[in-house]
Amino acid sequence: MKIEKRIKLNNNNYYIEVDVEYKNKFLYLKNYHDDHYDGGNFSNLIEKIEENYTLDKAMSYDKDIGLMADVLYIYERIPFLSGITDFYISSKDNIVYAKGYISKEEIEKYIKENNINIRRNNNFKLGDGRTWKI
């Protein structure tokens, strides 16, 4: 199953996609440390990321491509994501007029090919805010 949640960084809107699966009647993050999924904790994490976001922090990942700067900023803080969708809303008629998607695999490839320093958080637990890197 896939779950998507919106995150807004300044004027940019994204949807974070997460793969989950049921095990013994509970939802778990699929392909990520067998961690229990909790939508409330995920919403809290997103809220903290939005509150602490600055363009300078994002640009430290990629000075040339603003989209990738934001993607990498999100990825470092939400390591269990499966992909990120970006979308743009027309101010003229208030509907989505462009949409893009990047998978976790494509993000990892970009990091490797461009020698980007990502602080890996191997101790991350969605249910433990003390492990979050905000």
Side-chain angles (χ1 to χ4, degrees), residues 71-86:
V71 164
L72 296 168
Y73 178 85
I74 294 167
Y75 181 59
E76 185 173 80
R77 288 152 181 82
I78 306 178
F80 57 89
L81 63 78
S82 302
I84 299 174
T85 300
D86 67 306

Side-chain angles (χ1 to χ4, degrees), residues 41-53:
N41 285 335
F42 191 18
S43 293
N44 290 339
L45 175 59
I46 288 171
E47 184 178 317
K48 289 186 181 300
I49 292 169
E50 290 173 334
E51 289 171 357
N52 288 284
Y53 174 85

